[in-house]
Amino acid sequence: MTIIAADYEKTDIGTIQIAPEVIEIIAGMATVEVPGVAGMSGGFAGGIAELLGRKNMSKGVKVDVGQREAAIDVSIVIEFGTRIPEVASGVQQNVKHAIESMTGLSVVQVNVHIHDVIFKGAEKVEEVEASPNRVK
């Protein structure tokens, strides 16, 4: 993707360009900060939610960047028992604020796609079941 630097990004000694991957990482980090978000989902195409750790924060984020504006799609997994509209609204606000304050781009859309729900204790149960020593 070729990005043309906006007028405000041109300085006397050159231009400033922000790669779309940087905006994806900012959006991913802002998303997982919201209470109720269990993680990012890696599958826009397959629709199969895969809970991802903090290793690759751009997973589950799609960004369309213009000269002055950006549109973001985030795909998330939420915690069971949380209010989906409140979590989604929190994600939208946090992502918009983070991108606008860090990059100066105007965020025109933040679309939130909920791909899965996870139980808070599910990870611990799986770890106990996967343990090779059943008797202690």
Side-chain angles (χ1 to χ4, degrees), residues 124-136:
K124 293 178 183 175
V125 172
E126 290 175 14
E127 289 175 4
V128 171
E129 291 175 1
S131 134
N133 299 331
R134 297 188 329 167
V135 180
K136 293 184 179 183

Side-chain angles (χ1 to χ4, degrees), residues 18-119:
I18 302 169
E21 293 81 11
V22 172
I23 297 168
E24 289 174 353
I25 292 169
I26 293 168
M29 291 180 72
T31 298
V32 297
E33 290 176 350
V34 176
V37 175
M40 303 297 290
S41 176
F44 274 109
I48 299 172
E50 177 185 354
L51 190 61
L52 301 171
R54 293 183 176 257
K55 295 174 187 172
N56 191 349
M57 294 309 302
S58 65
K59 289 288 186 182
V61 179
K62 181 178 177 258
V63 175
D64 292 320
V65 183
Q67 289 185 353
R68 299 179 191 264
E69 298 178 336
I72 309 346
D73 286 279
V74 294
S75 182
I76 64 172
V77 176
I78 63 165
E79 295 174 353
F80 179 79
T82 58
R83 293 183 48 84
I84 293 174
E86 289 176 9
V87 172
S89 177
V91 168
Q92 289 175 322
Q93 292 170 9
N94 208 33
V95 168
K96 180 177 172 65
H97 174 71
I99 291 173
E100 287 180 347
S101 65
M102 292 181 73
T103 66
L105 291 169
S106 175
V107 177
V108 294
Q109 284 185 338
V110 178
N111 301 310
V112 180
H113 307 275
I114 292 102
H115 280 259
D116 203 357
V117 177
I118 191 166
F119 295 94

